[in-house]
Amino acid sequence: RRHADGVFLLGCRECDCHFRFGVQWMDERLAGKRDPYLRARVPRERVATYWGGLVTETEIAGEINAFRARLHALGPYQPVPATQATDEVAP
């Protein structure tokens, strides 16, 4: 409700996780190929994923800082007015 400028999803590397299909299913959800779908009104350039597995804090911090830099270049998030927003699934 307070309109975050972006969302960074962090999880296990493919095949490194107890939930073996987690990476595949999340990628399919973000691509609009699997339910529950990411709503069309969510700007995809403001969502980042990183499947890290056993990595150092420095590596994760670097990825997060790179994402912050991309968000900074995009500027603050400007939500779509409620009259124009839809819950349709992104293509």
Side-chain angles (χ1 to χ4, degrees):
R1 294 189 190 283
R2 296 191 180 190
H3 307 292
D5 286 333
V7 176
F8 189 88
L9 302 170
L10 174 67
C12 302
R13 289 183 197 258
E14 195 165 10
C15 300
D16 279 355
C17 190
H18 175 73
F19 302 100
R20 61 182 183 203
F21 295 114
V23 172
Q24 175 187 342
W25 290 353
M26 181 58 67
D27 287 341
E28 289 173 2
R29 286 178 176 125
L30 293 172
K33 297 178 182 178
R34 182 178 185 83
D35 190 37
Y37 303 102
L38 184 61
R39 293 178 177 173
R41 65 183 175 196
V42 176
R44 297 309 184 267
E45 67 273 10
R46 293 184 178 272
V47 177
T49 58
Y50 182 73
W51 311 121
L54 299 174
V55 297
T56 66
E57 290 180 30
T58 304
E59 186 176 344
I60 294 170
E63 292 292 325
I64 292 171
N65 287 333
F67 180 57
R68 283 181 178 153
R70 288 194 306 273
L71 291 176
H72 182 73
L74 291 171
Y77 173 66
Q78 298 297 320
V80 176
T83 56
Q84 297 176 5
T86 67
D87 289 340
E88 295 176 14
V89 175

